[in-house]
Amino acid sequence: MENLASGLAIGLGAIGPGIGVGLVVLGALQGMARNPEAAGEIRTNMILGIAFAEAIAIYALVIALLLLFV
Amino acid sequence: MGNVFRPKVIGVVLLVLLVMVGSAFVIPVPLPAIILPAEPIFCIGGQLVEGKKGLACEGGFPFTNSMLATLMVDLTLLVIFVTALRNMELVPRGLQNAVEALIEFFYGFTEDVAGKENAPRFFPLVMTIFIFTLVANWWELVPGIESVGWITKAHGEGGWAKRELLPGFYTLVREPGEYILVPWLRTATTDLNVPLSMALVTMVYVQISGVRALGLAYFKRFINFNSFMDFMVGILEIISEFAKIISFSFRLFGNLFAGTVLLFVMPYLVPLLVPLPFFALEVFVGLIQAFVFAALALVFLSIAVISHDHH
């Protein structure tokens, strides 16, 4: 049961951040395509934005690990 | 452009597939036990005994495999920087050039984010975080790490049989048994204590920089009685300071722990060729995670020194 719970925790918790990261990269790529000169700056900010979106998935991972190992 | 389905091409593809599938039967690799906390490998002033899962210490101070790995990371950094900067030349060549290029690139990045005034204050911490995390992450890819160590009884479900390789030296084989491996070295960042301590140091330094730049007015962003809205925002700010510690440490830990498990599981499924792209992926993940940790620390530092009143 704990295995199922931890699988569900990370599986469901990764949906939102997945969409979020996709949207971040979508915006960044559109920006880079329209203004290639700003690509470097956009890329740095994109990685930071991905890191923030990913944090939600990390919380789900924490729950999954807690269920599995503790 | 020739036809892709030439006999030669098909032959090569079939051969590669045959090698991959065949290797799973010819060289079966056991899956190492996946243990979340770092395991003690010897005890300072105590006795190493077989615990419930892996090894444990009876009295004394447990010296874990991730501590040894952290020392190895420090040693690597010392060797790299001492050899690079022993005979410094005005026109840098070789390793000195590479080190200087890295540091100059990062200093430029720090100036871009934090501004010329604050860059000298933030740079030492941010650069240290970056190179330490980078080397710690890339130690994951060194052969022998997490695969050489003490063989001990599993005391529970799982485990593999052991076989004598040379007199006194044993290896685990992929047959049901009761032995697991406690590695001498484990990637430092897959032990939660390492990222957590880095996150704590960073967040404490963020508060110190905020107070140094703004004085006691810094705390106005946490406790503010101007209006009900400001008060609630302040409470949210306090919570988010603690959430930053959690997301900081678990981001690095989660990515590297998952990466290590991935590098275990892939050779377990198919020993040859298939793990190769995953090793390349881990090189990339290690670099990105080191950069993300350093860049986020820099961003939080820059936010802390900006006053909330004039924007």
Side-chain angles (χ1 to χ4, degrees):
Chain A
M1 209 59 181
E2 277 163 0
N3 289 351
L4 181 69
S6 75
L8 282 176
I10 185 65
L12 294 176
I15 295 174
I19 297 170
V21 170
L23 287 175
V24 169
V25 177
L26 169 78
L29 284 179
Q30 278 179 344
M32 282 188 220
R34 284 174 194 208
N35 188 2
E37 281 165 19
E41 207 170 311
I42 292 174
R43 192 175 299 120
T44 314
N45 288 325
M46 177 187 84
I47 290 171
L48 288 178
I50 290 174
F52 281 118
E54 195 196 40
I56 314 298
I58 301 293
Y59 300 144
L61 178 78
V62 173
I63 302 297
L65 289 177
L66 281 178
L67 285 170
L68 205 56
F69 290 105
V70 177
Chain B
M1 281 290 282
N3 188 0
V4 193
F5 297 103
R6 278 172 299 175
K8 218 176 181 177
V9 176
I10 293 176
V12 169
V13 169
L14 280 181
L15 191 71
V16 168
L17 281 176
L18 196 73
V19 166
M20 274 167 19
V21 175
S23 68
F25 293 100
V26 179
I27 25 175
V29 179
L31 184 69
I34 295 159
I35 301 172
L36 200 57
E39 305 101 323
I41 45 170
F42 62 87
C43 304
I44 298 168
Q47 194 71 41
L48 194 66
V49 291
E50 282 183 359
K52 218 172 116 205
K53 198 169 190 190
L55 298 168
C57 268
E58 213 174 55
F61 178 75
F63 191 91
T64 61
N65 41 14
S66 64
M67 286 183 196
L68 187 62
T70 313
L71 289 178
M72 297 302 282
V73 172
D74 294 344
L75 202 67
T76 319
L77 285 172
L78 270 178
V79 168
I80 290 174
F81 280 88
V82 167
T83 36
L85 306 178
R86 196 181 40 204
N87 300 314
M88 288 220 275
E89 290 166 41
L90 195 60
V91 182
R93 283 187 298 119
L95 198 57
Q96 190 197 346
N97 200 0
V99 167
E100 281 190 9
L102 175 73
I103 290 183
E104 259 170 39
F105 166 78
F106 228 87
Y107 196 78
F109 176 69
T110 313
E111 277 191 338
D112 284 348
V113 176
K116 278 205 160 33
E117 196 187 328
N118 287 317
R121 278 190 193 157
F122 299 163
F123 179 70
L125 179 75
V126 173
M127 188 76 218
T128 310
I129 286 174
F130 178 73
I131 53 173
F132 176 80
T133 319
L134 184 70
V135 174
N137 290 353
W138 279 354
W139 259 91
E140 183 188 16
L141 306 159
V142 174
I145 195 166
E146 317 227 11
S147 55
V148 181
W150 309 117
I151 286 180
T152 174
K153 281 218 169 89
H155 291 291
E157 55 202 279
W160 306 99
K162 72 173 178 181
R163 184 183 293 161
E164 197 160 27
L165 203 61
L166 293 164
F169 292 90
Y170 291 90
T171 179
L172 292 179
V173 289
R174 195 162 157 181
E175 284 156 21
E178 52 179 356
Y179 293 99
I180 56 165
L181 179 87
V182 175
W184 286 332
L185 281 172
R186 159 191 183 127
T187 317
T189 37
T190 60
D191 179 3
L192 184 57
N193 294 312
V194 177
L196 185 63
S197 56
M198 290 189 335
L200 282 173
V201 167
T202 312
M203 290 320 290
V204 168
Y205 190 63
V206 166
Q207 314 307 324
I208 291 172
S209 318
V211 172
R212 200 159 63 176
L214 305 175
L216 284 177
Y218 172 71
F219 294 108
K220 263 206 312 212
R221 71 179 63 183
F222 300 123
I223 303 159
N224 199 329
F225 293 111
N226 279 352
S227 66
F228 180 69
M229 194 64 198
D230 282 348
F231 182 70
M232 293 314 279
V233 168
I235 287 175
L236 277 183
E237 284 272 339
I238 293 173
I239 294 170
S240 83
E241 289 300 293
F242 287 100
K244 276 172 192 169
I245 298 176
I246 296 173
S247 61
F248 243 151
S249 48
F250 273 95
R251 176 180 301 116
L252 186 57
F253 163 76
N255 273 289
L256 266 290
F257 190 75
T260 318
V261 172
L262 191 69
L263 292 188
F264 285 160
V265 171
M266 279 304 141
Y268 171 72
L269 297 174
V270 183
L272 281 185
L273 292 173
V274 171
L276 198 62
F278 291 97
F279 274 81
L281 179 77
E282 283 309 306
V283 173
F284 183 66
V285 167
L287 177 66
I288 287 289
Q289 288 308 318
F291 180 75
V292 163
F293 201 111
L296 281 180
L298 185 56
V299 169
F300 292 153
L301 283 166
S302 319
I303 292 172
V305 296
I306 298 168
S307 170
H308 264 206
D309 297 336
H310 330 270
H311 64 118

